[in-house]
Amino acid sequence: SYADVEKGIAALGQKAKNNDISIEDMDGGTFTISNGGVFGSLFGTPIINPPQSAILGMHGVFERPVVRNGQVVIRPMMYIALTYDHRLVDGREAVTFLRTIKSAVEDPRIMLMDL
């Protein structure tokens, strides 16, 4: 469940803060989420670390000009990037995943309520 994932992430985060995280704690993962946004990253291409199959790069939120209803307006924008191994992940599934992430970031209720 989402709550179990959050608890696991919190436990690993606490180990990292206490400088107690080990290689074994980080070994065997198949997917990484990289949050370059906390360092002010606008966008970039994350690189896969084998044997992982994909990495999601989430970047900073910045005001950008966008078109809404034919008008240029300023809106908060965040770029996300997904790098994946095409031998394991088909493009359709990757784009579907990105659209799901986009929807969840725009409306967190989707993620929290499993909508």
Side-chain angles (χ1 to χ4, degrees):
S1 77
Y2 182 75
D4 291 333
V5 171
E6 283 293 314
K7 288 176 186 174
I9 290 170
L12 288 172
Q14 191 60 48
K15 282 181 119 179
K17 286 179 185 176
N18 294 339
N19 206 23
D20 289 331
I21 199 159
S22 67
I23 295 295
E24 290 78 22
D25 289 323
M26 298 181 286
D27 191 34
T30 58
F31 186 82
T32 295
I33 300 173
S34 177
N35 185 5
V38 297
F39 304 110
S41 170
L42 178 60
F43 61 86
T45 303
I47 306 297
I48 299 172
N49 293 311
Q52 296 184 343
S53 58
I55 181 169
L56 175 69
M58 302 185 77
H59 303 285
V61 178
F62 298 96
E63 289 189 341
R64 309 274 300 165
V66 296
V67 177
R68 293 288 187 259
N69 299 319
Q71 300 292 316
V72 176
V73 295
I74 303 300
R75 293 283 190 263
M77 297 283 295
M78 180 178 84
Y79 290 100
I80 58 175
L82 180 67
T83 302
Y84 53 95
D85 186 337
H86 278 276
R87 297 171 296 177
L88 302 170
V89 180
D90 184 62
R92 187 183 91 203
E93 280 72 28
V95 171
T96 300
F97 172 74
L98 279 174
R99 291 180 60 87
T100 301
I101 295 297
K102 174 187 177 287
S103 296
V105 168
E106 289 177 342
D107 186 358
R109 293 176 299 173
I110 291 169
M111 184 173 39
L112 298 172
M113 300 173 86
D114 288 327
L115 298 177

